[in-house]
Amino acid sequence: MWLDPPLRVTLARLWRRSVGRIRSREELWNGNRETFRNTFVSRDSLFVWALKTYRRRKRIYRDLLARPENAHLEVHHFTSAADGDRWLEAQRELTGSRI
């Protein structure tokens, strides 16, 4: 299953998590915490990374999955978690098991 949300969803989730961690001063590792500066202004910002790599990562996954050596894979491409959940539930109903 390939969960591939739109960029706006990715950025909204990143925003929500980052702002929450900045407000709570949650420790990430070894005393490191997110700050407004390193989250939104830094060259190493996750937002900058997400914007720079979004299209490239989509293309890379699509190309990898299209390779002949991966032809045996059954790939389900979803753009929302709800679509993926519906598919999983349908599989559970078909097989009578927990996937």
Side-chain angles (χ1 to χ4, degrees), residues 22-72:
I22 291 169
R23 284 185 180 156
S24 70
R25 300 200 29 82
E26 175 185 337
E27 182 177 328
L28 302 174
W29 66 89
N30 296 329
N32 291 312
R33 291 177 168 77
E34 283 188 83
T35 64
F36 180 84
R37 183 179 196 168
N38 69 18
T39 301
F40 299 106
V41 186
S42 167
R43 286 186 334 175
D44 297 325
S45 164
L46 285 175
F47 286 90
V48 171
W49 177 83
L51 290 167
K52 281 182 165 180
T53 63
Y54 181 77
R55 284 194 174 96
R56 185 185 71 200
R57 283 182 291 117
K58 285 179 73 93
R59 185 179 58 249
I60 287 170
Y61 286 128
R62 189 174 40 247
D63 292 349
L64 281 172
L65 293 169
R67 288 183 177 177
E69 64 265 29
N70 296 322
H72 67 285

Side-chain angles (χ1 to χ4, degrees), residues 76-91:
H76 300 276
H77 181 194
F78 303 110
T79 57
S80 75
D83 289 344
D85 289 342
R86 281 190 290 277
W87 179 82
L88 281 173
E89 187 56 38
Q91 298 310 301

